[in-house]
mmCIF file of all heavy atoms in Angstrom:
data_model
loop_
_atom_site.group_PDB
_atom_site.id
_atom_site.type_symbol
_atom_site.label_atom_id
_atom_site.label_comp_id
_atom_site.label_asym_id
_atom_site.label_seq_id
_atom_site.Cartn_x
_atom_site.Cartn_y
_atom_site.Cartn_z
ATOM 1 N N SER A 1 37.275 -54.774 -17.230
ATOM 2 C CA SER A 1 37.146 -54.529 -18.665
ATOM 3 C C SER A 1 36.706 -55.813 -19.354
ATOM 4 O O SER A 1 37.268 -56.879 -19.108
ATOM 5 C CB SER A 1 38.478 -54.045 -19.249
ATOM 6 O OG SER A 1 38.391 -53.898 -20.651
ATOM 7 N N ILE A 2 35.687 -55.705 -20.204
ATOM 8 C CA ILE A 2 35.226 -56.845 -20.995
ATOM 9 C C ILE A 2 35.876 -56.770 -22.368
ATOM 10 O O ILE A 2 35.645 -55.827 -23.131
ATOM 11 C CB ILE A 2 33.688 -56.835 -21.152
ATOM 12 C CG1 ILE A 2 33.001 -56.654 -19.797
ATOM 13 C CG2 ILE A 2 33.221 -58.116 -21.834
ATOM 14 C CD1 ILE A 2 33.252 -57.762 -18.807
ATOM 15 N N ASN A 3 36.739 -57.741 -22.656
ATOM 16 C CA ASN A 3 37.447 -57.809 -23.947
ATOM 17 C C ASN A 3 38.237 -56.541 -24.253
ATOM 18 O O ASN A 3 38.489 -56.221 -25.417
ATOM 19 C CB ASN A 3 36.458 -58.078 -25.089
ATOM 20 C CG ASN A 3 35.787 -59.425 -24.960
ATOM 21 O OD1 ASN A 3 36.391 -60.400 -24.525
ATOM 22 N ND2 ASN A 3 34.515 -59.481 -25.313
ATOM 23 N N ARG A 4 38.606 -55.789 -23.196
ATOM 24 C CA ARG A 4 39.347 -54.531 -23.335
ATOM 25 C C ARG A 4 38.595 -53.518 -24.202
ATOM 26 O O ARG A 4 39.200 -52.640 -24.819
ATOM 27 C CB ARG A 4 40.753 -54.763 -23.895
ATOM 28 C CG ARG A 4 41.622 -55.633 -23.015
ATOM 29 C CD ARG A 4 43.086 -55.394 -23.276
ATOM 30 N NE ARG A 4 43.934 -56.298 -22.553
ATOM 31 C CZ ARG A 4 44.212 -56.211 -21.262
ATOM 32 N NH1 ARG A 4 43.644 -55.263 -20.541
ATOM 33 N NH2 ARG A 4 45.017 -57.062 -20.673
ATOM 34 N N LYS A 5 37.285 -53.623 -24.275
ATOM 35 C CA LYS A 5 36.478 -52.699 -25.067
ATOM 36 C C LYS A 5 35.509 -51.919 -24.195
ATOM 37 O O LYS A 5 35.249 -50.743 -24.442
ATOM 38 C CB LYS A 5 35.710 -53.470 -26.145
ATOM 39 C CG LYS A 5 36.590 -54.105 -27.200
ATOM 40 C CD LYS A 5 35.751 -54.837 -28.239
ATOM 41 C CE LYS A 5 36.643 -55.470 -29.305
ATOM 42 N NZ LYS A 5 35.839 -56.216 -30.309
ATOM 43 N N ILE A 6 34.942 -52.578 -23.183
ATOM 44 C CA ILE A 6 33.966 -51.936 -22.301
ATOM 45 C C ILE A 6 34.513 -51.968 -20.877
ATOM 46 O O ILE A 6 34.829 -53.034 -20.355
ATOM 47 C CB ILE A 6 32.605 -52.642 -22.351
ATOM 48 C CG1 ILE A 6 32.103 -52.766 -23.795
ATOM 49 C CG2 ILE A 6 31.578 -51.896 -21.509
ATOM 50 C CD1 ILE A 6 30.840 -53.572 -23.939
ATOM 51 N N ASP A 7 34.632 -50.802 -20.251
ATOM 52 C CA ASP A 7 35.152 -50.702 -18.886
ATOM 53 C C ASP A 7 34.013 -50.411 -17.911
ATOM 54 O O ASP A 7 33.087 -49.662 -18.225
ATOM 55 C CB ASP A 7 36.196 -49.590 -18.787
ATOM 56 C CG ASP A 7 37.460 -49.931 -19.571
ATOM 57 O OD1 ASP A 7 37.955 -51.051 -19.398
ATOM 58 O OD2 ASP A 7 37.929 -49.080 -20.335
ATOM 59 N N TYR A 8 34.136 -50.989 -16.728
ATOM 60 C CA TYR A 8 33.139 -50.771 -15.683
ATOM 61 C C TYR A 8 33.844 -50.331 -14.405
ATOM 62 O O TYR A 8 34.792 -50.982 -13.954
ATOM 63 C CB TYR A 8 32.340 -52.050 -15.418
ATOM 64 C CG TYR A 8 31.471 -52.450 -16.580
ATOM 65 C CD1 TYR A 8 31.953 -53.336 -17.544
ATOM 66 C CD2 TYR A 8 30.194 -51.933 -16.736
ATOM 67 C CE1 TYR A 8 31.172 -53.697 -18.626
ATOM 68 C CE2 TYR A 8 29.401 -52.296 -17.818
ATOM 69 C CZ TYR A 8 29.895 -53.179 -18.756
ATOM 70 O OH TYR A 8 29.123 -53.532 -19.830
ATOM 71 N N PRO A 9 33.408 -49.232 -13.805
ATOM 72 C CA PRO A 9 34.034 -48.745 -12.572
ATOM 73 C C PRO A 9 33.607 -49.557 -11.359
ATOM 74 O O PRO A 9 32.612 -50.289 -11.383
ATOM 75 C CB PRO A 9 33.510 -47.306 -12.474
ATOM 76 C CG PRO A 9 32.178 -47.364 -13.157
ATOM 77 C CD PRO A 9 32.315 -48.378 -14.262
ATOM 78 N N ILE A 10 34.372 -49.420 -10.291
ATOM 79 C CA ILE A 10 34.090 -50.069 -9.011
ATOM 80 C C ILE A 10 33.622 -48.993 -8.040
ATOM 81 O O ILE A 10 34.199 -47.913 -7.974
ATOM 82 C CB ILE A 10 35.351 -50.768 -8.455
ATOM 83 C CG1 ILE A 10 35.943 -51.721 -9.501
ATOM 84 C CG2 ILE A 10 35.047 -51.506 -7.169
ATOM 85 C CD1 ILE A 10 35.045 -52.855 -9.906
ATOM 86 N N ASN A 11 32.580 -49.289 -7.273
ATOM 87 C CA ASN A 11 32.100 -48.284 -6.313
ATOM 88 C C ASN A 11 32.879 -48.354 -5.010
ATOM 89 O O ASN A 11 33.829 -49.134 -4.869
ATOM 90 C CB ASN A 11 30.591 -48.427 -6.083
ATOM 91 C CG ASN A 11 30.210 -49.777 -5.483
ATOM 92 O OD1 ASN A 11 31.003 -50.415 -4.800
ATOM 93 N ND2 ASN A 11 28.991 -50.218 -5.742
ATOM 94 N N SER A 12 32.488 -47.549 -4.030
ATOM 95 C CA SER A 12 33.232 -47.448 -2.769
ATOM 96 C C SER A 12 33.185 -48.735 -1.951
ATOM 97 O O SER A 12 33.966 -48.909 -1.021
ATOM 98 C CB SER A 12 32.693 -46.279 -1.929
ATOM 99 O OG SER A 12 31.306 -46.449 -1.672
ATOM 100 N N GLN A 13 32.286 -49.644 -2.283
ATOM 101 C CA GLN A 13 32.231 -50.946 -1.613
ATOM 102 C C GLN A 13 33.031 -52.016 -2.360
ATOM 103 O O GLN A 13 33.014 -53.193 -1.989
ATOM 104 C CB GLN A 13 30.771 -51.420 -1.471
ATOM 105 C CG GLN A 13 29.964 -50.691 -0.408
ATOM 106 C CD GLN A 13 29.543 -49.307 -0.872
ATOM 107 O OE1 GLN A 13 29.079 -49.150 -2.002
ATOM 108 N NE2 GLN A 13 29.698 -48.314 -0.018
ATOM 109 N N GLY A 14 33.725 -51.592 -3.422
ATOM 110 C CA GLY A 14 34.520 -52.529 -4.197
ATOM 111 C C GLY A 14 33.703 -53.371 -5.151
ATOM 112 O O GLY A 14 34.169 -54.412 -5.624
ATOM 113 N N VAL A 15 32.480 -52.941 -5.462
ATOM 114 C CA VAL A 15 31.552 -53.730 -6.268
ATOM 115 C C VAL A 15 31.318 -53.055 -7.616
ATOM 116 O O VAL A 15 31.185 -51.831 -7.698
ATOM 117 C CB VAL A 15 30.207 -53.916 -5.529
ATOM 118 C CG1 VAL A 15 29.188 -54.631 -6.416
ATOM 119 C CG2 VAL A 15 30.421 -54.695 -4.233
ATOM 120 N N ALA A 16 31.250 -53.864 -8.670
ATOM 121 C CA ALA A 16 30.885 -53.374 -10.001
ATOM 122 C C ALA A 16 29.464 -53.820 -10.321
ATOM 123 O O ALA A 16 29.006 -54.856 -9.828
ATOM 124 C CB ALA A 16 31.848 -53.923 -11.042
ATOM 125 N N ASN A 17 28.760 -53.048 -11.121
ATOM 126 C CA ASN A 17 27.417 -53.399 -11.567
ATOM 127 C C ASN A 17 27.453 -53.599 -13.076
ATOM 128 O O ASN A 17 27.419 -52.636 -13.836
ATOM 129 C CB ASN A 17 26.426 -52.301 -11.184
ATOM 130 C CG ASN A 17 26.252 -52.186 -9.682
ATOM 131 O OD1 ASN A 17 25.836 -53.126 -9.028
ATOM 132 N ND2 ASN A 17 26.588 -51.024 -9.134
ATOM 133 N N ILE A 18 27.544 -54.850 -13.478
ATOM 134 C CA ILE A 18 27.735 -55.178 -14.891
ATOM 135 C C ILE A 18 26.523 -55.958 -15.398
ATOM 136 O O ILE A 18 26.217 -57.036 -14.881
ATOM 137 C CB ILE A 18 29.015 -56.011 -15.086
ATOM 138 C CG1 ILE A 18 30.230 -55.255 -14.522
ATOM 139 C CG2 ILE A 18 29.226 -56.351 -16.553
ATOM 140 C CD1 ILE A 18 31.511 -56.049 -14.554
ATOM 141 N N PRO A 19 25.816 -55.454 -16.392
ATOM 142 C CA PRO A 19 24.677 -56.197 -16.949
ATOM 143 C C PRO A 19 25.141 -57.536 -17.524
ATOM 144 O O PRO A 19 26.089 -57.592 -18.311
ATOM 145 C CB PRO A 19 24.157 -55.279 -18.050
ATOM 146 C CG PRO A 19 24.687 -53.921 -17.705
ATOM 147 C CD PRO A 19 26.004 -54.144 -17.039
ATOM 148 N N LEU A 20 24.479 -58.598 -17.126
ATOM 149 C CA LEU A 20 24.859 -59.921 -17.620
ATOM 150 C C LEU A 20 24.716 -60.029 -19.132
ATOM 151 O O LEU A 20 25.435 -60.789 -19.784
ATOM 152 C CB LEU A 20 23.999 -60.991 -16.934
ATOM 153 C CG LEU A 20 24.510 -61.499 -15.577
ATOM 154 C CD1 LEU A 20 23.504 -62.447 -14.962
ATOM 155 C CD2 LEU A 20 25.865 -62.176 -15.726
ATOM 156 N N GLU A 21 23.818 -59.241 -19.685
ATOM 157 C CA GLU A 21 23.616 -59.293 -21.132
ATOM 158 C C GLU A 21 24.813 -58.762 -21.909
ATOM 159 O O GLU A 21 24.944 -59.014 -23.106
ATOM 160 C CB GLU A 21 22.362 -58.502 -21.509
ATOM 161 C CG GLU A 21 22.448 -57.019 -21.191
ATOM 162 C CD GLU A 21 21.156 -56.265 -21.505
ATOM 163 O OE1 GLU A 21 20.134 -56.924 -21.708
ATOM 164 O OE2 GLU A 21 21.209 -55.026 -21.547
ATOM 165 N N SER A 22 25.707 -58.025 -21.222
ATOM 166 C CA SER A 22 26.905 -57.504 -21.889
ATOM 167 C C SER A 22 28.062 -58.500 -21.874
ATOM 168 O O SER A 22 29.122 -58.230 -22.419
ATOM 169 C CB SER A 22 27.349 -56.195 -21.228
ATOM 170 O OG SER A 22 27.798 -56.430 -19.896
ATOM 171 N N ILE A 23 27.858 -59.662 -21.216
ATOM 172 C CA ILE A 23 28.895 -60.694 -21.122
ATOM 173 C C ILE A 23 28.440 -61.910 -21.922
ATOM 174 O O ILE A 23 27.308 -62.372 -21.784
ATOM 175 C CB ILE A 23 29.153 -61.096 -19.660
ATOM 176 C CG1 ILE A 23 29.534 -59.874 -18.823
ATOM 177 C CG2 ILE A 23 30.249 -62.154 -19.577
ATOM 178 C CD1 ILE A 23 29.648 -60.169 -17.346
ATOM 179 N N ASN A 24 29.339 -62.439 -22.738
ATOM 180 C CA ASN A 24 29.043 -63.627 -23.530
ATOM 181 C C ASN A 24 30.063 -64.718 -23.235
ATOM 182 O O ASN A 24 31.213 -64.428 -22.848
ATOM 183 C CB ASN A 24 29.061 -63.304 -25.026
ATOM 184 C CG ASN A 24 28.030 -62.264 -25.406
ATOM 185 O OD1 ASN A 24 26.841 -62.450 -25.168
ATOM 186 N ND2 ASN A 24 28.490 -61.154 -25.990
#
């Protein structure tokens, strides 16, 4: 979770795909 506002799931390999532009 980014700032407890945006959540990202983890796939079966334990990896998340998070756009870097969504992180500051």
